Structure formats: C-alpha cells, structure tokens
C-alpha cells in the first residue's frame, strides 16, 4: 500500500470519526458541491443545487439584517443611557448660573457634542455682562428668531426637533465655535404660557453626527425635561 493510499485511508478515517466537522465547514462543503457539479458535466442541471444556492444567499442576507438590528439596538441603548445621565446631571445644580454652566460643559461632554447653546427670545435687547461670563452657553435673540431658525431650510411650521448638516454655522448662535461645526440639532422649548419660546442648539464637528434620518425621540425627551427645568428657574 503506497503512502498516498495510506494518506487517503487516514483522511477517510478522520472524516468518519467526525462527520459533523465536515458538514459544519462551509468552505469544505462548497468545494465538495463544486467537485460534484464538475463530475456531472455541463449537460446536467441540478435544480436542488440551485435551490440550495438561493437559500444560502437568503440566509446570508438574514444574517446581515440580524447583525444590523443588534447593532442598532445597542446604539439605541447607548443613546438612552447618555440622555438619562445628562438629565440626572441637569437636575443637580442649585442655582441658575450653575445650571447654565453645566449645560455648556458636562452635559455637552455626556452627550458627546462639541458645543451647546441656549437661545432665548426677548423683547429687551441690551448687552448683559452676566451673559458674557457664561462662556457662550446663552444667547438672546429677538421675538420670532427661534421659529425662523428652525424652519430656515424648509417651509411650514417649525418642528420641535431639527437635525441637519450645516455648511456655515451661525456665529450668533455658536460664537467662536461656528467655523468648526458641521452639523446641528435644534430643540424648540416651550417655556410656559405668556413666555417667548427658546431653543437648545447642539453643534458637532462631524457632518454626520446630526442628520435628518436619525430618530428624534430621545432628544425630544431631553427637551421636555429641560423646558420644565427652565420653567422652574424662570418662575
């Protein structure tokens, strides 16, 4: 018996000992199927083989979809945790100035954005040194400016949350950071009956950080908690 025959015997014994290993090896099974088709010749059509190929392709698509769903679920969970942490931190300050400073620093870090500005409408326009001390986290605008800003790229009434890329960020909103920002999230605030509206604007250097295709549920929830906190401070 030649060494080549012994090798075949050894291989045969190994396969017989662990047949499941052969069946579970996708590349090996594809090689066996290809060898079988080659042995039959081109004049024979294997309908069963065609059906198996289609099932394999469908299985691959299902696996890709499964991975995408799991990835989206983890991303959504991470986003939920971020917003919850931000809200808990937002509720800690005991004075209004600390409340605003926290928004522009720790809240921005938790939400992983590069800048946050609170925009408030007012009928009184005058320079306030206290605003300058807050490091650009607060800016005041004339009545109607919030809705105009929210709807500047589309017609119709202003939405509560607007996500969009920006080619040229508004210096009035973002100050010295305007030249570095490429996308923004705008959250309209209802500050209560008899009060003018406000807005939170979050800016990011990444143009894909805020896009219209993203969900807005978590940001809407954050805006709802923030506007209730603002009502408390304003009262």
């Amino acid at each position: 018996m030649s060494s080549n025959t012994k090798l075949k015997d050894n291989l045969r014994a190994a396969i017989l000992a662990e047949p499941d290993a052969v069946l579970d090896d996708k590349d090996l099974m594809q090689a066996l199927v290809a060898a079988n088709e080659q042995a039959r010749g081109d004049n024979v059509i294997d309908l069963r083989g065609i059906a198996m190929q289609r099932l394999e392709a469908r299985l691959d698509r299902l696996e890709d979809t499964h991975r995408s769903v799991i990835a989206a679920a983890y991303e959504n969970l991470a986003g939920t945790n971020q917003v919850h942490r931000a809200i808990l931190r937002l509720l800690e300050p005991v004075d209004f100035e600390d409340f605003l400073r926290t928004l522009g620093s720790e809240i921005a870090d938790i939400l992983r954005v590069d800048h946050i500005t609170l925009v408030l409408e007012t009928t009184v326009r005058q320079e306030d040194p206290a605003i300058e001390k807050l490091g650009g986290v607060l800016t005041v605008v004339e009545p109607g400016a919030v809705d105009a800003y929210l709807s500047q790229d589309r017609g119709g009434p202003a939405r509560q949350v607007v996500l969009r890329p920006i080619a040229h960020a508004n210096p009035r909103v973002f100050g010295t950071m305007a030249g570095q920002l490429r996308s923004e999230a705008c959250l309209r605030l209802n500050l209560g009956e008899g009060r003018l509206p406000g807005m939170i604007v979050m800016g990011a250097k990444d143009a894909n950080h805020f896009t219209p295709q993203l969900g807005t549920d978590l940001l809407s929830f954050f805006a709802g908690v923030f506007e209730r906190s603002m009502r408390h401070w304003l009262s």
Side-chain angles (χ1 to χ4, degrees):
M1 186 177 291
S2 66
S3 59
N4 190 33
T5 303
K6 290 181 179 179
L7 178 61
K8 291 180 180 179
D9 289 341
N10 292 337
L11 180 58
R12 181 173 181 273
I15 294 174
L16 290 174
E18 295 186 79
D20 291 342
V22 177
L23 295 175
D24 292 338
D25 192 314
K26 183 178 179 180
D27 294 334
L28 182 57
M29 289 301 298
Q30 287 178 343
L32 292 174
V33 171
N36 183 55
E37 292 176 351
Q38 185 176 2
R40 284 199 311 267
D42 297 333
N43 294 328
V44 179
I45 299 177
D46 184 7
L47 296 178
R48 181 176 179 274
I50 295 174
M52 290 297 295
Q53 289 177 355
R54 291 181 178 177
L55 286 174
E56 287 179 358
R58 184 178 180 185
L59 179 60
D60 290 340
R61 291 195 299 269
L62 288 174
E63 289 179 345
D64 291 340
T65 301
H66 181 64
R67 284 191 291 267
S68 299
V69 170
I70 292 177
Y74 275 114
E75 184 176 351
N76 186 60
L77 179 60
T80 301
N81 290 336
Q82 281 181 322
V83 171
H84 287 174
R85 287 172 53 211
I87 289 173
L88 289 175
R89 184 62 186 92
L90 195 67
L91 298 176
E92 292 179 5
V94 294
D95 61 71
F96 188 57
E97 184 174 339
D98 187 27
F99 175 77
L100 294 180
R101 290 186 184 278
T102 299
L103 176 67
S105 56
E106 294 178 56
I107 301 300
D109 291 339
I110 292 172
L111 297 178
R112 297 179 183 176
V113 296
D114 297 295
H115 189 77
I116 294 182
T117 302
L118 173 62
V119 181
L120 298 178
E121 290 187 1
T122 179
T123 56
V124 180
R125 293 301 309 276
Q126 62 181 16
E127 297 297 328
D128 190 341
I131 295 179
E132 299 296 328
K133 293 179 181 180
L134 293 173
V137 71
L138 174 64
T139 187
V140 294
V141 295
E142 66 278 3
V146 167
D147 285 347
Y149 190 87
L150 288 167
S151 58
Q152 64 183 357
D153 58 342
R154 59 185 297 273
R159 291 169 292 175
Q160 183 184 10
V161 178
V162 175
L163 309 179
R164 61 194 175 195
I166 46 176
H168 304 288
N170 192 325
R172 189 174 177 184
V173 173
F174 293 111
T176 57
M177 285 285 294
Q180 306 176 47
L181 304 176
R182 294 296 176 264
S183 64
E184 65 180 1
C186 311
L187 287 60
R188 192 180 191 279
L189 303 174
N190 178 4
L191 300 180
E193 186 177 355
R195 295 193 181 102
L196 294 172
M199 175 175 61
I200 296 175
V201 187
M202 303 178 183
K205 296 178 181 178
D206 182 1
N208 296 317
H209 193 86
F210 295 116
T211 62
Q213 294 78 23
L214 297 177
T216 60
D217 291 348
L218 290 174
L219 289 176
S220 296
F221 178 64
F222 178 82
V225 174
F226 186 89
E227 67 186 9
R228 285 162 176 78
S229 296
M230 280 294 297
R231 291 173 194 171
H232 165 73
W233 292 113
L234 292 176
S235 62

